[in-house]
Amino acid sequence: MPSPIKIDPAELRDYVRDLFQSRGVSADDAGTIAEVLVWANLRGVDSHGIARVPRYLELFGTGEANAEPKIVVHNEKGALAVVDADRAAGPVALTRAADIAIAQAAQFGVGWVNVRRTVHTGALGYYTNRIAESGLIGMGLVAGMPNMGYEGAAGASVATSPLSIAVPGTGQYPTVVLDMATAVIALGKIAQFKKAGKDLPAGAATTADGVPTTDPALAKIPLPVGGAKGSGMSLMFELLTSVLVGEPILPNFHSGVSGGKKHRQNAAIIAIDPSAAVAVNTFTSDVDATIETIRSLPVAEGYERVILPGQRGAETFADRSRNGIPVPEPLWNELKTAAETYSITSPTVGAR
Amino acid sequence: MPSPIKIDPAELRDYVRDLFQSRGVSADDAGTIAEVLVWANLRGVDSHGIARVPRYLELFGTGEANAEPKIVVHNEKGALAVVDADRAAGPVALTRAADIAIAQAAQFGVGWVNVRRTVHTGALGYYTNRIAESGLIGMGLVAGMPNMGYEGAAGASVATSPLSIAVPGTGQYPTVVLDMATAVIALGKIAQFKKAGKDLPAGAATTADGVPTTDPALAKIPLPVGGAKGSGMSLMFELLTSVLVGEPILPNFHSGVSGGKKHRQNAAIIAIDPSAAVAVNTFTSDVDATIETIRSLPVAEGYERVILPGQRGAETFADRSRNGIPVPEPLWNELKTAAETYSITSPTVGAR
């Protein structure tokens, strides 16, 4: 296997920004999208990183994503706001939402910001981590198009809607960031099993018709984590996001009305100010003490260490910030082709 | 098998109230505890119902629960409050928290109320359902004593901390109420497998030392749902409740300091006012349309129907409200003994 192409994160960020700017996205918004996608690569979440650039370009091309959105913020009661994204790309709308949530939390103790009518939110952990970096607790929920099972139902019924929570400590340890889908297994993981010629674990996925399978070639629909628990969470996130902003996804998707299956997502981004509940020093040192307790738990057989949510991502972040971001050659060539059309120079490739 | 004793819910509620009042709890607080416990029985969650009365009486006896708490509410920033429960029984502290959250949400759009230093919260769904009955979205998180595994660690590491979310519709369907622990299996379910002489499913529990087992006699520690997902949620709920109010449970529990294993719980109760985001009629009719969509999904093989979170509980509630609450004879005798000490008359028993 050839050693993968590695790209400097800052150069990659500029490159991706230029690509979006060439499609009519403002410099600011293009920079935000690049920042969120490259952050996912830095954290090792390659499925939500620059691998999405071709799809984003396509969404801008068809107009499903709006390159020049007129984002409107409604805020009738202090601590709850609605960001009408006007089909802005998720990174643009959700970064805005996170910053509004931070400001509201500073004033009211809590900021709850719903985002309506966005497309592909990117890695949800980016926004909760952004809130944690400002010293607040961040939470995020997203609902999207049905691609997961629902306990007792056959076929794609609800979305693999993610939940993310990030909590700041003193800075001695990486920020604790939970960022999880409500499915047992990601679609990307199913593809990895297929490539490796391995069977899926039982109970992880079904065929498109809803028949349980361990054959990764037939597996099209991930099952919800914990059965009714995972599908219940996914449904609740749809109610707390899409339905709360008057944009329910499930009824139109399943009734088969025109446009009901068009890609769209809704989200909620929440910030909580710990200083409204407890002295900040007490809070951050208690967070650290809890992290230390988890790290010191006796290790179970078959494991090397006990880790915190987000710890592996932080380790990958440190490594890739130093050594560059690995990019698969087919993706790299695809990006170069997209760039050449607009005479954008591609960054230097090579070991660093 | 003898047909179980059945008791009228209203009589049972008065009886339980009298039992707590005889132990020095005020009539109001005793009524609240009785209401929450009997609600759990009505919903079919017998593990969180009057089966807990002997344990509650014990907690009041030892002083771990405070019969005459001085509850103090701190609210420095509008939308976030802390209820210092002074070791009040969970139903007293969390009902208070739910009512404060409702009032804050009416004013600010969101009310986030942390409860510190309470004991045994009872069925979390009671409080979120209470909020939904007032037309708002209810959410609840609880953290308690470690009794569950943590991905990669051996032994009881974190709590089976529950999450509950309740969302009001038009009233045409039962309120959607998710109320789930972060464990694969409840301790009560393990006991049922043991009684039935059946093996547990693989991956559900470990021995006290953290060795995976399917033998219900050896199984002492439930495993987290979805591995790192369930244990990550449990850890995050501890940070969002206990640590946010300066009462971290994990460090003292695991360090073995004196008192570190004494029973205590912390919680967060959240209310969200949909009218701050969308017209209320739109919201409730979209909730109903989403419920109808889920009910109409194609049924998977091996299932009879597709149900919503909380639907089975609502059906049991209707049945038991009419036909009485079944009470196992050993529990009934235990309650009668406790009652006779204080000359409290037990309710009529019998088919109705």
Side-chain angles (χ1 to χ4, degrees):
Chain A
M1 216 166 78
S3 57
I5 295 166
K6 286 201 177 180
I7 311 290
D8 175 77
E11 284 187 51
L12 188 56
R13 218 178 273 121
D14 289 349
Y15 183 48
V16 170
R17 182 201 61 206
D18 292 350
L19 273 169
F20 286 117
Q21 225 183 321
S22 73
R23 265 44 172 201
V25 180
S26 72
D28 270 7
D29 286 358
T32 300
I33 302 172
E35 158 76 14
V36 173
L37 294 180
V38 172
W39 184 87
N41 288 113
L42 282 168
R43 298 276 298 187
V45 192
D46 293 327
S47 59
H48 286 60
I50 58 161
R52 302 286 182 136
V53 170
R55 174 69 177 140
Y56 272 62
L57 293 173
E58 189 181 279
L59 287 168
F60 282 120
T62 62
E64 285 172 273
N66 188 351
E68 299 176 287
K70 291 189 179 38
I71 297 180
V72 179
V73 180
H74 303 273
N75 181 5
E76 291 173 25
K77 294 188 175 185
L80 194 149
V82 177
V83 172
D84 195 327
D86 192 25
R87 291 174 294 111
V92 173
L94 271 70
T95 299
R96 179 87 177 266
D99 293 345
I100 295 171
I102 290 168
Q104 288 183 333
Q107 189 176 351
F108 300 106
V110 185
W112 181 296
V113 182
N114 276 93
V115 178
R116 72 193 292 253
R117 297 199 303 149
T118 185
V119 294
H120 197 268
T121 56
L124 187 55
Y126 174 84
Y127 314 101
T128 59
N129 190 65
R130 183 184 180 92
I131 294 170
E133 278 178 355
S134 75
L136 309 181
I137 297 170
M139 288 179 62
L141 314 169
V142 175
M145 309 314 288
N147 56 354
M148 182 177 83
Y150 180 97
E151 177 74 4
S157 301
V158 290
T160 56
S161 308
L163 163 70
S164 179
I165 305 175
V167 180
T170 65
Q172 193 186 347
Y173 300 103
T175 304
V176 187
V177 187
L178 180 73
D179 187 1
M180 55 171 268
T182 44
V184 174
I185 192 165
L187 285 166
K189 271 268 170 64
I190 293 176
Q192 285 174 14
F193 274 86
K194 194 177 157 191
K195 246 188 195 164
K198 282 193 201 166
D199 274 0
L200 297 173
T206 72
T207 65
D209 299 331
V211 181
T213 184
T214 58
D215 179 348
L218 298 176
K220 300 293 174 213
I221 305 171
L223 284 167
V225 67
K229 295 185 181 189
S231 59
M233 280 196 284
S234 172
L235 172 65
M236 287 305 187
F237 298 170
E238 164 71 5
L239 297 175
L240 285 168
T241 58
S242 309
V243 173
L244 187 51
V245 296
E247 292 281 330
I249 289 175
L250 299 180
N252 288 350
F253 180 92
H254 288 290
S255 68
V257 298
S258 158
K261 304 205 173 189
K262 209 172 80 179
H263 171 80
R264 58 200 187 281
Q265 296 192 341
N266 300 293
I269 299 289
I270 302 123
I272 301 146
D273 180 2
S275 80
V278 68
V280 170
N281 287 348
T282 304
F283 179 73
T284 53
S285 67
D286 283 348
V287 168
D288 278 15
T290 302
I291 292 171
E292 283 157 16
T293 300
I294 296 290
R295 284 179 176 238
S296 307
L297 289 171
V299 180
E301 219 184 292
Y303 290 81
E304 283 180 9
R305 55 179 186 160
V306 184
I307 63 170
L308 278 291
Q311 184 177 337
R312 203 175 281 128
E315 290 164 357
T316 305
F317 191 97
D319 171 50
R320 293 187 173 183
S321 295
R322 269 195 312 275
N323 303 316
I325 293 173
V327 183
E329 201 157 336
L331 172 62
W332 189 243
N333 291 334
E334 202 174 349
L335 295 181
K336 276 208 302 199
T337 305
E340 279 158 12
T341 318
Y342 288 83
S343 310
I344 296 167
T345 311
S346 297
T348 330
V349 167
R352 291 145 46 81
Chain B
M1 216 165 79
S3 56
I5 295 164
K6 285 202 175 178
I7 311 291
D8 174 78
E11 285 187 49
L12 187 57
R13 219 177 272 120
D14 289 349
Y15 183 48
V16 170
R17 181 201 61 208
D18 292 350
L19 272 169
F20 285 116
Q21 226 185 320
S22 73
R23 264 42 171 204
V25 180
S26 72
D28 270 7
D29 286 358
T32 299
I33 303 172
E35 159 76 14
V36 174
L37 295 180
V38 172
W39 184 88
N41 288 112
L42 282 167
R43 298 277 298 188
V45 192
D46 292 328
S47 59
H48 286 60
I50 58 162
R52 300 288 181 135
V53 169
R55 174 68 177 141
Y56 272 62
L57 293 173
E58 190 181 278
L59 287 168
F60 282 120
T62 61
E64 284 172 276
N66 187 351
E68 297 176 288
K70 291 188 181 38
I71 297 180
V72 179
V73 180
H74 302 273
N75 181 4
E76 292 174 24
K77 293 191 175 185
L80 195 150
V82 177
V83 172
D84 195 328
D86 192 25
R87 290 174 294 110
V92 173
L94 270 70
T95 300
R96 178 88 176 265
D99 293 344
I100 294 171
I102 291 168
Q104 288 184 332
Q107 189 176 351
F108 300 106
V110 185
W112 182 295
V113 183
N114 275 93
V115 178
R116 70 194 293 252
R117 296 198 304 149
T118 185
V119 293
H120 196 267
T121 56
L124 186 55
Y126 175 84
Y127 315 102
T128 59
N129 190 64
R130 182 183 180 93
I131 294 170
E133 278 177 354
S134 76
L136 308 181
I137 297 170
M139 289 179 63
L141 314 169
V142 175
M145 309 314 288
N147 56 354
M148 182 176 83
Y150 180 97
E151 177 73 5
S157 301
V158 291
T160 57
S161 309
L163 163 70
S164 179
I165 305 175
V167 179
T170 66
Q172 193 185 347
Y173 301 103
T175 304
V176 186
V177 187
L178 179 73
D179 188 1
M180 55 170 269
T182 43
V184 175
I185 192 165
L187 285 165
K189 272 269 170 64
I190 294 177
Q192 285 174 14
F193 274 85
K194 192 176 159 192
K195 246 188 195 164
K198 281 192 201 166
D199 274 0
L200 297 173
T206 72
T207 65
D209 298 330
V211 181
T213 183
T214 57
D215 179 349
L218 297 176
K220 300 294 174 212
I221 305 172
L223 283 167
V225 66
K229 295 185 180 188
S231 60
M233 280 197 285
S234 172
L235 172 65
M236 287 305 187
F237 298 171
E238 164 72 4
L239 297 176
L240 284 168
T241 58
S242 309
V243 173
L244 188 50
V245 297
E247 292 281 330
I249 289 175
L250 298 180
N252 288 350
F253 180 91
H254 288 289
S255 68
V257 298
S258 159
K261 304 206 174 191
K262 209 171 79 176
H263 170 80
R264 60 201 186 280
Q265 296 192 343
N266 300 293
I269 299 289
I270 302 121
I272 301 146
D273 180 2
S275 79
V278 67
V280 171
N281 287 347
T282 304
F283 179 73
T284 53
S285 68
D286 283 348
V287 169
D288 278 15
T290 302
I291 292 171
E292 283 157 16
T293 300
I294 296 289
R295 282 178 177 238
S296 306
L297 290 171
V299 179
E301 219 183 292
Y303 290 81
E304 284 182 7
R305 57 179 184 158
V306 184
I307 62 171
L308 279 290
Q311 184 177 336
R312 203 175 281 126
E315 290 164 358
T316 305
F317 190 97
D319 170 50
R320 292 187 174 183
S321 295
R322 271 194 311 274
N323 302 316
I325 292 173
V327 183
E329 200 154 339
L331 172 62
W332 189 244
N333 291 336
E334 202 175 348
L335 294 180
K336 277 210 301 202
T337 306
E340 279 158 11
T341 319
Y342 288 83
S343 312
I344 296 166
T345 311
S346 296
T348 330
V349 168
R352 293 144 45 80

